Structure formats: structure tokens, C-alpha cells
Amino acid sequence: MIRPCAAPHEMFRPFPAAPASAELKLSDLDKVGDLGEGACGTVTKVRLRGGSSSAVFALKTAYYPDPNAEEEAEVLRRTSGSPHLVRCHAIFRGAAGEPAMLLELMDAGSLGRVLLARRRAGLPEPALAEVASRCLAGLAHLHSRGVAHLDFKPDNLLANSRGDVKIGDFSESRIFSRTPGERLEVSIAVGSTAYMSPERFAPDARAGPRGACAADVWGLGVTVLELFSGRRPILPDVQRPSWGMLMEAICHGEPPVVPESASSSLRGFVTACLQKDPRRRGTVAQLLAHPFVARRDAGASRRALREIILETM
């Protein structure tokens, strides 16, 4: 049974300052290689000059000063300290004032890449339960710091060779509580369309703390279902569905169906996430107590997840 929990703004607590980086400069970093490029910036693999050859990092650099990039930098500052979020070691300024963030390097890439490497074979339930547990712990930390991720999907869950999975890419994240007790309305009409909940398709969709956190829970449900089935849950047979097609399916169709091969525990977990009415959706605290996560064999789940990550590297 799902029990009520504290609202996100009631869980908010002061956050520590970002790690000091006054003595570190962009010029202290040597580029090792390219990791990726997006609409707003690039990510490169770098090494600290004169440092250990094994001490490598990911450097995310914005193309130009941008309010969203500034928000992302602030999110990284206030959410530091969780083992379930990709760590930010330092934040710099480029020549034009654009932010650059020195991040923990996750050497196994994303869980989206893991699925592709497995030729779209989904994750077994023990490994998936471990992923869900870590994601929920990461979301609990984010939400307690007044932040909604708003772009939850397999490509933004990053893994390393130790078997860790962490939430990354906060470029669409929004801060809904900047001080304890504050309740701000933020835009939730952002992120990857296939993982958006129905209420996010409303024109200029906005939400307060509860609604913003509920949007993350829907994204988690779609992500868990994709990681289990190995295919996109919304319009899986359409190669490149348009925004309109996705909006019609998500807002006016039935929620995605969990395959019959899933256990009743997994089906219940996904169903709790994918309630179309955000007020009926399970909260992060409630889902952490769900049997799919709370009753897993933690040791076996960790081993199963690590084995899958290593076999795809």
C-alpha cells in the first residue's frame, strides 16, 4: 500500500557550497578526446595537466552564455554530495562568460548505450530493481534540494565500470524552491517528448513542487519500462514519431502496457509511476517503499547490474 509522505518543499534543506575551484583553471586541463555534442554545447574527455594518467574527467562546455546553462550550473552547486548523481568537481567561465562544468567521467556511457549494445534485450528484473532504487535515491536528493530533473530517460542515466548508475545531464532541470519553504511554479514543458507526462503538453505548462516532482516520476516509469522491454514504450513501432503523434498517444491514449512476462511487483511499480493524473501518481518516497525496490536482494541486484554493464563495455 502506498503511504503519504512529506511534500518536496517540506523536505528541502540547506545545501553545501560547491567544491572550491579557485585554484583550478580551464588552462590546467588537457583534452583527451570528444565524448559528445548537443544543441547547447560539447562534452570532452580531459585530464588534469601533470596529474595521474587515470585521473580523467568529462568537461561540459556551453557554446555561449545562456539562462538554461546558468540554471544547470546552479543545480549542480546545490545538489552536490549525492552518490546517485554525476558529481560536479568545478565550474569555470569561458572567454565569453559561458559556463564550463568539470564532471565525473562515467566510463561505461549511458544505459541507452547499454540497451543498444545488448541489441535491445532488456535488463533482467534484479538488475532493473537496482537501477530503479538508485534512480529513486537520486531523485529524492534532487527534490529535497528544490530541483526537478525534467529530462529523465535511459540516455541520461550514466554507468561506470564499478557498476554504478547515476543521474546526469541537468540541462533541462528547474529549481522550484530556492529557499526552505519557498514554492515556485516552473516550466515543465521541456525535456524529451517521448518521456513527458500528459500534463506537460499543455501550452506553457507550469507546475509547483508537487507537479514538477510528479513529472519526474512519470519519466522514471517510462524509463524503467524501456529498460525492461528493450524498446521505447510510446509508439515503439514508429521510427521517428512527431511531437503531435507523441502528444496524441500520451495525452489521449492508454498508458503504456507492461509486458506479461514482468512480475506483478514490476507491473505494480510501473503502474504507480504511469498514472495520467499527476495527483494519483506515486511519489518518490512511496516508490522507495514499493516491494519491487524495497524487497529486492540488494547484493544479487548489484552483481547482476555490474555484470551487464561490464559485458557491454
Side-chain angles (χ1 to χ4, degrees):
M1 180 177 180
I2 291 181
R3 300 173 181 172
C5 68
H9 65 287
E10 293 168 347
M11 297 188 293
F12 183 85
R13 58 185 181 274
F15 56 93
S21 58
E23 298 179 3
L24 189 63
K25 303 183 293 295
L26 276 172
S27 57
D28 295 327
L29 303 172
D30 287 327
K31 180 177 176 180
V32 178
D34 294 316
L35 293 174
E37 184 174 4
C40 301
T42 61
V43 183
T44 54
K45 184 177 180 179
V46 297
R47 180 181 292 118
L48 186 62
R49 185 170 297 138
S52 165
S53 60
S54 62
V56 289
F57 306 89
L59 181 69
K60 182 174 183 178
T61 307
Y63 289 130
Y64 43 78
D66 175 80
N68 285 348
E70 297 297 337
E71 183 99 336
E72 181 178 7
E74 176 61 20
V75 164
L76 288 168
R77 289 189 188 98
R78 66 171 42 223
T79 59
S80 64
S82 171
H84 306 291
L85 307 179
V86 173
R87 182 181 177 188
C88 178
H89 295 280
I91 299 174
F92 308 98
R93 294 286 170 183
E98 69 278 12
M101 291 152 273
L102 188 66
L103 305 171
E104 174 183 10
L105 179 67
M106 302 296 284
D107 58 354
S110 73
L111 291 190
R113 184 206 65 80
V114 169
L115 279 185
L116 288 174
R118 287 170 58 81
R119 298 185 180 181
R120 289 293 177 182
L123 303 186
E125 288 197 27
L128 185 56
E130 185 65 20
V131 171
S133 174
R134 295 179 187 215
C135 289
L136 285 166
L139 285 176
H141 184 82
L142 276 175
H143 294 172
S144 74
R145 302 300 174 96
V147 174
H149 188 274
L150 298 179
D151 199 16
F152 212 90
K153 58 183 180 180
D155 285 346
N156 287 341
L157 298 180
L158 305 182
N160 63 27
S161 52
R162 295 188 299 275
D164 298 324
V165 169
K166 304 186 181 188
I167 302 172
D169 195 344
F170 302 95
S171 56
E172 301 291 356
S173 298
R174 297 293 181 267
I175 300 171
F176 58 72
S177 294
R178 294 185 180 273
T179 59
E182 185 179 34
R183 298 170 58 88
L184 302 175
E185 278 206 343
V186 296
S187 172
I188 57 172
V190 295
S192 302
T193 311
Y195 302 87
M196 286 168 53
S197 50
E199 69 275 10
R200 295 170 72 180
F201 287 87
D204 192 28
R206 301 181 69 81
R210 285 188 181 275
C213 294
D216 278 344
V217 168
W218 176 282
L220 171 65
V222 176
T223 295
V224 166
L225 188 49
E226 180 171 343
L227 292 174
F228 177 72
S229 65
R231 59 197 309 227
R232 194 176 60 243
I234 311 292
L235 301 178
D237 298 322
V238 181
Q239 188 172 6
R240 292 186 179 178
S242 66
W243 183 92
M245 294 169 67
L246 288 166
M247 185 273 289
E248 181 68 23
I250 294 169
C251 295
H252 304 296
E254 293 298 318
V257 177
V258 185
E260 292 184 2
S261 58
S263 68
S264 60
S265 180
L266 175 55
R267 288 198 299 271
F269 182 90
V270 172
T271 298
C273 294
L274 298 185
Q275 294 294 315
K276 296 182 76 170
D277 183 344
R279 296 168 297 183
R280 297 184 60 193
R281 225 168 276 158
T283 65
V284 168
Q286 291 164 352
L287 292 165
L288 276 166
H290 192 281
F292 179 65
V293 169
R295 296 181 187 173
R296 78 192 190 285
D297 181 329
S301 291
R302 283 194 294 268
R303 288 191 296 273
L305 177 59
R306 185 171 184 270
E307 287 171 5
I308 286 170
I309 291 169
L310 289 176
E311 74 182 17
T312 63
M313 288 184 69

